[in-house]
Amino acid sequence: MDWSELERKMVDYRIHFHQYPEVSHEEVKTREFIKRELMLLGLTPFSFSGKDVAVDLQGIKSGKMVAIRADMDALQVEEETDLPFSSKNKGVMHACGHDGHMAILLGLVHFFVENRERWSGTIRFIFQHAEEAVPGGANEIVKNNGLEGVEAIFGYHLWQPLPTGTIGVRSGPVMAGADKFRIRIFGKGGHGSMPNETVDPTLLAAQAITQIHTIVSRSLHPLDQAVVSIGELKSGSTYNVIPDTAYLSGTVRQFSKKISKQIHERLDKILAGICLSYNGRYELDYSYGDSAVVNDEALCSLMKEKAVELFGEERVVDIDPLLGSEDFSCYTYDIPGMYTFIGVGKDDSPYGHHHPKFDIDETMFVPSVKLISGAVIDFLERSRCDANYISNNLRYSSTSH
């Protein structure tokens, strides 16, 4: 394998994707570019949802099927990096590393095409749309049988909080599930000089916010991990009028649906109590989102083993669970999966994910291909030799959800 040539290809891919970012569900030109590159390799791309791109590749012999997934969508962020290949689409930027994810997955396709004699089985490459949306594109792929026949799935994230050359792994829950809630509080508007004749929804909203922030500290078990945040508050339009309504919205991050349900119920009770006290009323719309991403124990062990081999034990870290969410959970809910964090943090670029100045270290492209391809080949070989290789997946059972 000519690694320098592959690196050049992946950097070129990344530059193209970065210059022409597209937001969730609108990855039209991105899909067409990926399809062209796959067809140039003699492959036949297809789609499960009409918005994703997938391709299957068989090795020297038949065997198990494994999938590797990368996400395609960008964010509604105005870029401020001053890179020579900055976004040409105003107000849209690859500020999370998905441009690098796609470049690496195309690099993996090149690697496996050139090295078919080294592995047996089938690899499904999934370029997924709308990871940043809720619900995400993974839901559509799974609903349209995107995992049919797949024994395990690998995902990865270029991760700025980890220094370049560091690999982050964890068995079990690794990224949180994410829920969303919307609250509308109804009062009785009136003149600001006569509050006694009104039911002030702004006051009710303020009381609600204060009590909502006690849910984690006073209603959940101290060892349960969760975050409840209010991100939006709208009430009134002028200084001397008490409005009729107030609107709030927020997010819940958790590692089990049991905790989601507890928080939902507590939100309802808080709002009911406040509105009863002040003669108001409310509507609560609570949307249960994707589950937590849960890494399979055996796949995590395999990935860690390969990472230590390539990077050295001192560069492989057991990361703490992250309260950010990822719709990769839609895959790990159904089949064993492994989601790996690849350090791309640079001293001269301290800006984190979703920041207008976010950037990645492209020197990790080739090491990423070596790591993921090595883990995939080892998985296929071990699965071929031992039909019981895959561990009981550590994802939560349906009763826990």
Side-chain angles (χ1 to χ4, degrees):
M1 189 76 199
D2 187 340
W3 291 109
S4 60
E5 175 63 17
L6 183 61
E7 181 177 53
R8 184 193 64 76
K9 283 182 181 293
M10 288 191 287
V11 170
D12 287 346
Y13 287 147
R14 188 261 169 144
I15 289 172
H16 173 84
F17 291 134
H18 195 87
Q19 284 185 311
Y20 302 102
E22 295 175 302
V23 296
S24 301
H25 298 292
E26 297 178 15
E27 306 95 330
V28 179
K29 293 182 179 179
T30 303
R31 286 197 301 271
E32 292 306 312
F33 179 88
I34 292 169
K35 287 178 185 177
R36 284 196 301 271
E37 292 302 311
L38 294 173
M39 288 187 287
L40 285 172
L41 289 170
L43 304 177
T44 305
F46 56 93
S47 178
F48 294 104
S49 66
K51 298 178 183 178
D52 62 279
V53 181
V55 69
D56 289 346
L57 181 65
Q58 185 170 317
I60 192 170
K61 295 179 182 178
S62 61
K64 301 284 189 180
M65 179 186 288
V66 65
I68 314 172
R69 171 269 208 171
D71 30 22
M72 299 190 293
D73 52 336
L75 292 156
Q76 291 181 320
V77 172
E78 186 68 38
E79 184 162 357
E80 298 176 4
T81 62
D82 295 324
L83 290 168
F85 51 88
S86 292
S87 171
K88 294 182 182 294
N89 296 339
K90 185 172 177 58
V92 183
M93 175 193 175
H94 271 296
C96 199
H98 297 189
D99 49 346
H101 297 174
M102 290 183 284
I104 290 169
L105 193 54
L106 282 171
L108 282 160
V109 175
H110 277 275
F111 173 87
F112 282 109
V113 166
E114 291 186 29
N115 293 275
R116 287 192 183 189
E117 75 285 352
R118 291 183 53 186
W119 53 281
S120 299
T122 301
I123 302 173
R124 174 164 291 168
F125 302 89
I126 300 173
F127 296 84
Q128 182 205 304
H129 61 296
E131 185 277 326
E132 299 286 358
V134 179
N139 288 272
E140 295 179 62
I141 291 172
V142 172
K143 287 178 182 177
N144 288 286
N145 302 315
L147 296 182
E148 187 173 357
V150 178
E151 300 281 347
I153 187 166
F154 290 85
Y156 51 90
H157 206 309
L158 298 174
W159 199 239
Q160 186 274 339
L162 288 176
T164 292
T166 303
I167 303 299
V169 295
R170 180 181 179 82
S171 177
V174 66
M175 295 192 79
D179 304 331
K180 181 179 181 179
F181 60 86
R182 300 180 181 88
I183 300 166
R184 192 174 296 278
I185 296 176
F186 301 93
K188 178 185 175 184
H191 200 287
S193 67
M194 294 179 282
N196 56 301
E197 296 184 5
T198 71
V199 176
D200 188 349
T202 309
L203 174 63
L204 273 66
Q207 296 277 357
I209 290 171
T210 300
Q211 292 198 35
I212 286 168
H213 282 113
T214 69
I215 292 175
V216 172
S217 64
R218 289 296 178 269
S219 296
L220 298 184
H221 191 284
L223 296 180
D224 286 336
Q225 294 173 302
V227 169
V228 181
S229 295
I230 303 292
E232 186 177 20
L233 169 62
K234 296 177 181 177
S235 179
S237 58
T238 191
Y239 80 102
N240 63 346
V241 176
I242 293 173
D244 285 316
T245 60
Y247 175 82
L248 304 86
S249 69
T251 184
V252 173
R253 304 299 171 100
Q254 37 63 34
F255 289 98
S256 84
K257 291 301 183 184
K258 179 182 176 183
I259 295 175
S260 284
K261 187 177 180 182
Q262 283 181 261
I263 293 173
H264 184 181
E265 291 174 351
R266 187 64 187 139
L267 271 172
D268 206 28
K269 288 181 180 179
I270 287 171
L271 293 166
I274 290 171
C275 287
L276 179 64
S277 298
Y278 291 96
N279 296 317
R281 61 187 182 87
Y282 73 96
E283 291 177 355
L284 170 63
D285 177 17
Y286 192 102
S287 301
Y288 291 94
D290 295 324
S291 305
V293 176
V294 182
N295 281 341
D296 177 77
E297 184 177 18
L299 295 181
C300 183
S301 178
L302 184 153
M303 182 62 73
K304 186 173 183 179
E305 179 183 313
K306 183 57 62 175
V308 168
E309 176 187 320
L310 290 170
F311 297 90
E313 193 167 355
E314 71 283 357
R315 305 294 290 175
V316 181
V317 298
D318 292 311
I319 62 172
D320 293 328
L322 300 166
L323 284 162
S325 65
E326 232 283 1
D327 71 351
F328 192 77
S329 61
C330 296
Y331 307 119
T332 64
Y333 185 81
D334 283 344
I335 62 173
M338 178 62 202
Y339 196 74
T340 305
F341 294 86
I342 299 167
V344 291
K346 300 191 292 186
D347 291 338
D348 61 347
S349 182
Y351 306 102
H353 297 268
H354 294 208
H355 192 280
K357 294 184 179 181
F358 174 79
D359 193 16
I360 57 177
D361 192 335
E362 294 167 343
T363 63
M364 284 303 292
F365 286 0
V366 166
S368 297
V369 170
K370 291 181 178 180
L371 174 65
I372 297 159
S373 64
V376 167
I377 289 172
D378 281 0
F379 169 80
L380 290 170
E381 179 62 21
R382 295 181 192 188
S383 297
R384 185 178 65 84
C385 298
D386 181 3
N388 297 315
Y389 167 68
I390 302 174
S391 72
N392 291 324
N393 191 18
L394 295 181
R395 64 182 180 273
Y396 298 107
S397 66
S398 58
T399 55
S400 296
H401 278 76

